[in-house]
Amino acid sequence: MGKKKEKKSKNPEIDLLTVFDRIGDFFEWIKTLLFGIIHFFVKNAIVVVVLIILGFGLGLLIAKVAPRFEQKIIVAPNFKSTDYLYSKIDLLSSKISSNDTLFLKSIGIQKPSEMVSITIEPIVDVTNLMNGNEKNTELLELMAQNGDLKSIIKETTTNKNFTLHTIVLNTSSLVSSQNIVEPLLKYLNASPYYEAYNRINSQNIQNSIKRKEETILQIDGILNQFSGTYGKLSSNEKLVYYNENMNLDEVIKTKDSLANEINKLKIEQYNTSKTIKEKGIILNAKNTKTIKEKLIFTLPLVFVGLFVLYSFCISFYKKQSLKTI
């Protein structure tokens, strides 16, 4: 019995020593590994430096030979045509991906081979979205309770409720508004349905402006009549007439209100002059987010990594060869 107790009492000490030994072996392995890595790069410093310079130079050459330029067109789809706009951009994207130059030339693009890609994304304006529609406010509040608001507004179903959208076109060369933007906008606006809708909307606005202008002319006539007929009366007589027959202040306010409405209608008429109305154009911005631009930094790492892998394979092969001899 006494011997068994001794064995049991010694076991914990032996196990603890074993753990410390293994920890020590692990740190020793780490030190050996670090030394091996440092020794490898010191030994092959010239080769590593040459590979880094070669990779950087090759990446720079590729970026200069095949640059990418970004064209941005800010647009506002009118008459609830956002879905139509997105479907048109999707079609263009597929035509560019499949290199369908015949289709691109048919819509007026002069150099279709220089078009690399086209995408569209909304200009996120949550305040405008919420102020413009009470239903949108309630919907966002309800959805935000069950998720992140930032991720919600990036979803496609929510994207299309924003007023402004950005068309991003990547090209392989510098472009002009005449050979890219104008044909693209003409194609996006080529819809018999929306063209007819636009004509009716424009006519309705014009009729509304005309009616309001006629009302203003009538008000001016009343004011002129008042000032002409009663201009010779004394101040007290004018005041009595004004109090008993009309509220001249309200008439003037009505005229000002009509004038403001006419101004708003004219702005609306301008903004809705096209189904897809351009708001701003930015051409030939150098795109630094493409893979080719990133090659300047990734190629040196790739070359060095391949050299390390090659050296490891050669070293492994030599060691295995010695064991077999």
Side-chain angles (χ1 to χ4, degrees), residues 186-230:
K186 184 178 179 181
Y187 165 73
L188 294 177
N189 282 287
S191 167
Y193 170 80
Y194 284 110
E195 286 175 1
Y197 195 110
N198 188 14
R199 286 194 297 270
I200 295 171
N201 179 75
S202 178
Q203 187 62 50
N204 289 340
I205 293 175
Q206 191 60 41
N207 291 339
S208 182
I209 291 173
K210 186 177 179 180
R211 287 194 299 269
K212 294 181 187 303
E213 287 177 341
E214 289 174 352
T215 305
I216 289 177
L217 288 175
Q218 291 174 2
I219 292 174
D220 287 339
I222 293 172
L223 295 176
N224 291 334
Q225 183 181 4
F226 175 80
S227 61
T229 305
Y230 302 96

Side-chain angles (χ1 to χ4, degrees), residues 92-104 112-116:
L92 279 173
S93 179
S94 66
K95 295 296 184 182
I96 293 172
S97 299
S98 60
N99 198 26
D100 191 348
T101 55
L102 291 177
F103 173 81
L104 296 173
S113 59
E114 295 178 355
M115 297 178 70
V116 178

Side-chain angles (χ1 to χ4, degrees), residues 15 25 32 41 66 105 151 165 186 210 249 254 274-275 279 289 309 311:
D15 291 340
D25 292 340
T32 304
F41 281 102
K105 283 183 178 180
S151 62
H165 302 259
K186 184 178 179 181
K210 186 177 179 180
D249 184 57
T254 301
K274 295 180 182 178
T275 304
K279 297 289 186 176
K289 298 179 181 179
L309 181 62
S311 300

Side-chain angles (χ1 to χ4, degrees), residues 108-157:
I109 304 297
Q110 297 179 12
K111 297 180 180 179
S113 59
E114 295 178 355
M115 297 178 70
V116 178
S117 65
I118 187 170
T119 57
I120 186 170
E121 56 188 21
I123 297 178
V124 178
D125 186 357
V126 180
T127 304
N128 186 38
L129 178 65
M130 295 175 70
N131 290 338
N133 193 327
E134 291 183 3
K135 291 183 179 180
N136 289 338
T137 304
E138 295 174 359
L139 179 62
L140 286 175
E141 289 177 352
L142 181 62
M143 295 175 70
Q145 293 176 3
N146 301 318
D148 182 17
L149 184 60
K150 289 183 179 180
S151 62
I152 291 171
I153 62 178
K154 290 181 181 179
E155 293 179 1
T156 305
T157 53

